């Protein structure tokens, strides 16, 4: 290993940068060029992935006889030291070295001398950054998957606690039919489950290895791309070297998945905001997820939910931004693609925070079930039950039953009555065959209990759905443990 005190040009990073790529150039870049060209401010997040990829590449080169075992050992030791330095905050990042790849390479040459200069054999920064970015995105997916598991559990716990709690179901934000709060929350569980499955699908497609594609055409060295793929946990090497260095559809798909997931979180957040208003009165937020007003001492604002609702704009903006970067690029690599990482990094940071915040709000969930039940009976929410009874008990065609029900609802509305309070005699003026048995279906409790079709809101249905969901979640966790 080279002496760490050996004279070097570390104090002149611009000279180091030129020594790596600038043999053709007689002069250095302008200050503006240096600033616009540098990506170290954001791509330093890739240092773990860059070091992992470099280790795998070095081991492969040694196995193929392209690199000596001694050089490989020195490179791995040097890379371990660099990782420790970065994690300890000891590495000084300089825009003159452009990116994390050149920072690590420059430091490696300081530590191990010529061995470090041999590491870049049979690879380019093009396949290097493509590999790092895929590794980072794969790790982000795995971290988000764990957070999604926590959100699913929080939804199931809340749904189970309130499986029989009645609330109004809405269409057009107008009271439609009574449902249970547990059923309502399980709707979001289904959405979140699909979101998590989309992440898994995205992971499968991105898990191919670009390393060894070099700049764009492959390499003349006898490398083994299957070895580096296995070493880095990829399913296989990418089949086309041009595609390998230029493809960013994995990032676009990832951002699309996050955008859909953010929309679902935003919908639930919006309901929390509505339910917490005094007009609804369905929910009281604790101090943990609300704030006050600088001027109105009575206020309790659902800021956490509002910010989850807002961040969907940032996440979808990231997707659209990367689409615009990629839309007109010819094959293979263009410097435009340096702008692929900031939107992905930002979207992941935002989405992680949204998942954690939503999980926390659900774990801190304290609905006013009495207020919800009272609201469930407003707006003639059991009118459909009345129509269904007319079909079932009297044999009326549904359209005729719908007309009869509408006339009874109009009477109730004109006389400021709820449906269960409409006198039987008034109902019989609309349809003479109606009997007092009609009152057995007009309460919100009866309405909810009757919805026993698969996927319906009956409390027993909800509890059965929760049981199945818990079993599926447990099975998925066991499968993940076995695969890891």
């Amino acid at each position: 290993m080279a002496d760490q005190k050996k004279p070097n040009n570390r104090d002149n990073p611009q000279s180091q940068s030129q020594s790596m790529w600038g043999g053709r150039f007689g002069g250095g870049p302008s200050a503006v060029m240096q600033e616009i060209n540098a990506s170290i401010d954001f791509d330093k997040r890739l240092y773990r992935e860059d070091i992992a990829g470099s280790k795998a590449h070095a081991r492969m080169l040694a196995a193929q006889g392209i690199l000596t075992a001694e050089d490989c050992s020195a490179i791995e030791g040097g890379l371990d030291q660099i990782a420790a330095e970065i994690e300890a905050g000891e590495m000084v990042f300089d825009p003159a070295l452009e990116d994390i790849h050149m920072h690590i390479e420059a430091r490696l040459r300081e530590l191990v001398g010529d061995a470090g200069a041999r590491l870049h054999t049979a690879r380019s920064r093009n396949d290097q950054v493509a590999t790092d970015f895929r590794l980072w995105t794969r790790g982000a997916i795995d971290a988000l998957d764990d957070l999604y598991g926590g959100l699913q559990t929080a939804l199931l716990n809340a749904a189970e606690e309130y499986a029989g709690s009645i609330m109004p179901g809405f269409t057009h934000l107008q009271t439609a039919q009574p449902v249970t709060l547990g059923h309502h929350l399980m709707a979001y569980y289904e959405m979140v489950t699909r979101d998590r499955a989309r992440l898994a699908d995205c992971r499968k497609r991105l898990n191919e290895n670009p390393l060894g594609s070099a700049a764009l055409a492959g390499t003349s060295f006898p490398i083994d791309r299957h070895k580096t793929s296995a070493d880095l946990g990829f399913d296989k090497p990418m089949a086309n070297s041009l595609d390998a260095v230029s493809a960013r559809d994995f990032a676009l798909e990832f951002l699309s998945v996050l955008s859909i997931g953010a929309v679902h979180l935003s919908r639930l957040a919006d309901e929390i905001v509505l339910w917490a208003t005094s007009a609804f009165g369905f929910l009281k937020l604790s101090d943990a997820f609300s704030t006050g007003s600088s001027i109105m001492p009575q206020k309790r604002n659902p800021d956490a939910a509002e910010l989850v609702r807002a961040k969907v704009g940032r996440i979808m903006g990231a997707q659209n931004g990367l689409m615009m970067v990629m839309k007109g690029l010819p094959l293979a690599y263009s410097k435009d693609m340096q702008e692929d990482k900031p939107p992905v990094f930002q979207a992941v940071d935002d989405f992680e925070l949204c998942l954690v915040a939503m999980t926390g709000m659900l774990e801190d969930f304290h609905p006013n079930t009495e207020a919800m039940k009272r609201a469930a009976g407003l707006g003639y929410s059991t009118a459909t039950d009345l129509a269904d009874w007319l079909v079932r008990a009297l044999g009326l065609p549904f359209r005729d039953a719908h007309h009869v029900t509408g006339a009874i609802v109009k009477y109730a509305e004109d006389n400021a009555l709820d449906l269960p309070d409409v006198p039987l005699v008034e109902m019989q003026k609309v349809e003479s065959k109606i009997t007092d048995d009609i009152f057995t279906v007009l309460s919100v409790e009866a309405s909810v209990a009757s919805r026993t079709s698969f996927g319906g809101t009956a409390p027993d249905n909800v509890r059965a759905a929760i049981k199945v969901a818990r079993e599926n979640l447990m099975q998925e966790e066991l499968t993940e443990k076995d695969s890891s």
Side-chain angles (χ1 to χ4, degrees):
M1 183 175 287
D3 186 354
Q4 193 169 343
K5 300 297 185 182
K6 179 181 177 180
N8 55 63
N9 57 3
R10 192 177 186 187
D11 293 333
N12 187 356
Q14 182 170 311
S15 175
Q16 286 197 43
S17 177
Q18 285 181 270
S19 73
M20 292 177 190
W21 59 260
R24 184 184 182 282
F25 293 79
S30 71
V32 172
M33 179 60 199
Q34 187 171 296
E35 184 174 354
I36 196 171
N37 196 47
S39 59
I40 187 61
D41 284 348
F42 55 83
D43 68 18
K44 60 189 176 185
R45 293 176 69 152
L46 298 175
Y47 81 88
R48 293 185 186 89
E49 290 75 20
D50 196 71
I51 288 171
S54 291
K55 283 184 173 182
H57 186 64
R59 287 192 289 265
M60 181 276 294
L61 292 177
Q64 295 299 104
I66 302 169
L67 194 68
T68 67
E70 292 76 16
D71 280 351
C72 181
S73 178
I75 287 168
E76 290 203 79
L79 290 171
D80 285 338
Q81 181 172 335
I82 292 168
E85 289 174 359
I86 294 174
E87 287 165 5
E90 295 172 0
M91 178 171 278
V92 177
F93 296 109
D94 192 300
L97 283 174
E98 297 184 15
D99 55 35
I100 190 62
H101 323 293
M102 292 182 75
H103 276 78
I104 290 173
E105 184 174 337
R107 180 62 177 143
L108 184 64
R109 292 191 69 174
E110 289 178 5
L111 293 173
V112 305
D114 287 346
R118 295 188 180 98
L119 174 60
H120 209 53
T121 305
R123 76 174 183 185
S124 161
R125 271 196 296 178
N126 293 354
D127 62 334
Q128 186 179 359
V129 69
T131 302
D132 292 356
F133 196 17
R134 282 178 184 262
L135 288 172
W136 188 92
T137 304
R138 189 179 70 187
I141 288 174
D142 292 343
L144 291 175
D145 183 72
D146 288 342
L147 293 177
Y148 259 126
L151 177 59
Q152 285 177 303
T153 298
L155 281 165
L156 288 177
N157 289 343
E160 189 164 44
E161 183 172 358
Y162 301 106
S165 300
I166 297 172
M167 66 172 289
F170 299 97
T171 60
H172 308 278
L173 205 56
Q174 304 293 317
T175 301
Q177 292 178 273
V179 296
T180 66
L181 178 53
H183 189 60
H184 194 102
L185 293 171
M186 285 299 290
Y188 284 103
Y189 176 85
E190 295 294 331
M191 294 181 208
V192 165
T193 299
R194 292 193 296 273
D195 293 334
R196 194 177 182 189
R198 272 185 281 269
L199 265 184
D201 290 342
C202 177
R203 191 189 194 282
K204 290 176 186 175
R205 271 182 288 280
L206 75 79
N207 202 37
E208 297 183 1
N209 183 21
L211 192 58
S213 298
L216 75 162
T219 178
S220 60
F221 288 94
I223 63 173
D224 184 352
R225 294 188 62 210
H226 292 278
K227 176 174 174 54
T228 53
S229 297
D231 203 351
L232 292 170
F234 287 112
D235 294 330
K236 59 184 178 181
M238 294 186 73
N240 183 285
S241 60
L242 283 166
D243 178 50
V245 299
S246 62
R248 293 297 185 271
D249 55 326
F250 72 92
L252 290 169
E253 181 180 4
F254 180 46
L255 290 175
S256 177
V257 170
L258 295 191
S259 294
I260 295 170
V263 167
H264 290 156
L265 294 179
S266 178
R267 294 183 72 179
L268 179 53
D270 187 61
E271 297 208 290
I272 290 173
V273 171
L274 286 173
W275 294 351
T277 62
S278 55
F280 272 76
F282 289 180
L283 182 66
K284 182 177 180 180
L285 294 173
S286 76
D287 294 346
F289 292 96
S290 57
T291 65
S293 166
S294 64
I295 191 172
M296 295 170 284
Q298 83 280 9
K299 293 292 294 299
R300 181 184 291 274
N301 300 323
D303 283 6
E306 290 174 357
L307 289 167
V308 168
R309 186 175 61 181
K311 285 189 182 293
V312 66
R314 291 166 62 108
I315 294 166
M316 294 184 75
Q319 180 192 9
N320 289 334
L322 185 53
M323 286 278 194
M324 294 302 101
V325 169
M326 298 302 300
K327 70 174 181 62
L329 298 186
L331 295 178
Y333 182 83
S334 297
K335 194 68 170 184
D336 312 51
M337 292 163 66
Q338 182 169 286
E339 297 300 312
D340 57 359
K341 288 168 283 296
V344 176
F345 292 163
Q346 185 62 61
V348 169
D349 290 346
D350 287 335
F351 196 75
E352 282 185 346
L353 189 56
C354 288
L355 284 175
V356 172
M358 185 57 70
T359 300
M361 282 186 280
L362 286 166
E363 290 172 344
D364 193 50
F365 195 59
H366 301 294
N368 184 338
T369 55
E370 288 302 314
M372 286 185 163
K373 184 177 179 180
R374 284 195 301 272
L378 302 176
Y380 311 106
S381 64
T382 58
T384 305
D385 298 274
L386 193 159
D388 288 347
W389 183 89
L390 293 170
V391 171
R392 191 169 54 249
L394 304 185
L396 268 62
F398 184 80
R399 282 299 162 206
D400 293 346
H402 187 284
H403 179 80
V404 169
T405 301
I408 294 172
V409 167
K410 186 176 186 306
Y411 176 88
E413 191 174 45
D414 289 345
N415 291 274
L417 296 172
D418 291 330
L419 272 183
D421 298 325
V422 175
L424 176 61
V425 66
E426 296 299 333
M427 294 188 191
Q428 289 172 335
K429 288 179 182 178
V430 180
E431 171 52 63
S432 62
K433 296 178 183 177
I434 293 177
T435 69
D436 60 3
D437 186 55
I438 190 67
F439 294 105
T440 64
V441 302
L442 294 183
S443 69
V444 292
E445 293 87 351
S447 176
V448 164
S450 71
R451 305 294 165 177
T452 57
S453 59
F454 184 83
T457 191
D460 287 344
N461 281 32
V462 175
R463 294 185 182 98
I466 293 168
K467 183 175 183 292
V468 170
R470 287 197 189 280
E471 291 170 354
N472 290 341
L473 199 55
M474 187 178 299
Q475 185 59 48
E476 288 173 9
E477 289 172 357
L478 290 173
T479 301
E480 287 178 5
K481 285 180 182 178
D482 291 341
S483 63
S484 62

